[in-house]
């Protein structure tokens, strides 16, 4: 699997699936979640509501992932995952890695070969960007039993992209 780092907006990516940093309600929010629902149109929310009614009455648990179609977005699928809220006192990184591993598994299930990921938990949920990149790469680099051929980490803004590139290339952050 090729791993690519790009600076940009995930809603414009031409890939089979984009991952959404959602919350357990699956009913939308701010950040990348807000952008995906805004640009993708109401079809995504309608499918999320149906998932709540059928499979996730108590919400999608942290670390899990589930797919809907992508409405008006260029992608075919949106894979919704719920990252953990950053905690300085508790190591929740296994849950963050679960988000990437489970999103890849769902991508396999829907037959998506190219997948774009945002930096899950690194916005409103407060995860430090360098560590969020490290957790993402730990999963993506060790993924062997997936049919995904390209995992694209989409960094929002030049600062985030610069930090991600340093982690990607193994350089210490300044
Ligand atoms: N494209 C790519 N990345 C983006 C975009 C975009 N259009 N917009 C923001 N980011 P966040 P979280 C980056 O806050 O921390 C929502 O309300 C952003 O700069 O979207 O997992 C949900 O409903 C950051 O690097 O997600 C939840 O309640 C990264 O995406 C909560 O926020 C993730 O930031 C989830 O918080």
């Amino acid at each position: 699997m090729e791993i690519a780092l790009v600076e940009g907006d995930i809603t414009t990516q031409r890939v089979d699936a984009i991952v959404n940093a959602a919350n357990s309600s699956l009913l939308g929010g701010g950040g990348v979640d807000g952008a995906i629902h805004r640009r993708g149109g109401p079809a995504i929310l309608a499918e999320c509501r149906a998932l709540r009614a059928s499979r996730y009455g108590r919400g999608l648990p942290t670390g899990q992932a589930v797919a809907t179609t992508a409405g008006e977005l260029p992608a075919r699928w949106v894979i919704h995952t719920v990252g953990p809220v950053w905690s300085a006192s508790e190591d929740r990184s296994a849950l963050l890695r679960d988000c990437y591993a489970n999103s890849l598994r769902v991508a396999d299930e829907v037959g998506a070969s190219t997948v774009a990921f945002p930096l899950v938990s690194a916005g409103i949920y407060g995860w430090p960007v360098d560590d969020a990149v490290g957790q993402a790469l730990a999963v993506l680099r060790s993924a062997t039993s997936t049919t995904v051929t390209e995992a694209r980490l989409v960094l929002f803004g030049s600062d985030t992209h610069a930090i991600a590139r340093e982690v990607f290339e193994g350089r210490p952050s300044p």
Side-chain angles (χ1 to χ4, degrees):
M1 184 174 74
E2 184 200 340
I3 300 172
L5 255 64
V6 302
E7 182 187 340
D9 180 339
I10 205 162
T11 63
T12 63
Q13 301 296 311
R14 298 197 172 272
V15 285
D16 297 328
I18 64 170
V19 173
N20 180 18
N23 60 61
S24 285
S25 81
L26 292 176
L27 300 179
V32 71
D33 194 10
I36 287 171
H37 282 286
R38 214 162 37 243
R39 312 249 168 82
I44 302 173
L45 187 58
E47 283 185 53
C48 286
R49 285 192 201 284
L51 282 168
R52 282 297 305 273
S54 60
R55 284 165 61 189
Y56 299 108
R58 304 168 75 154
L60 182 67
T62 304
Q64 300 300 299
V66 67
T68 64
T69 56
E72 294 156 33
L73 296 173
R76 209 158 150 221
W77 306 99
V78 176
I79 299 172
H80 306 264
T81 191
V82 182
V85 176
W86 164 257
S87 165
S89 58
E90 185 189 354
D91 181 4
R92 299 174 178 169
S93 59
L95 284 168
L96 184 53
R97 291 190 297 276
D98 284 349
C99 289
Y100 290 90
N102 285 319
S103 294
L104 277 180
R105 182 180 49 73
V106 170
D108 286 338
E109 285 168 9
V110 299
S113 306
T114 54
V115 183
F117 293 84
L119 214 43
V120 178
S121 289
I124 291 163
Y125 282 177
W127 209 283
V129 169
D130 55 350
D131 193 65
V133 175
Q135 302 296 340
L137 292 178
V139 176
L140 299 177
R141 284 177 168 157
S142 64
T144 45
S145 61
T146 176
T147 53
V148 173
T149 55
E150 183 194 343
R152 190 182 300 174
L153 208 47
V154 180
L155 292 320
F156 198 57
S158 56
D159 292 356
T160 305
H161 181 250
I163 295 169
R165 186 127 305 277
E166 294 201 330
V167 175
F168 186 71
E169 288 164 7
R171 284 195 307 241
S173 307

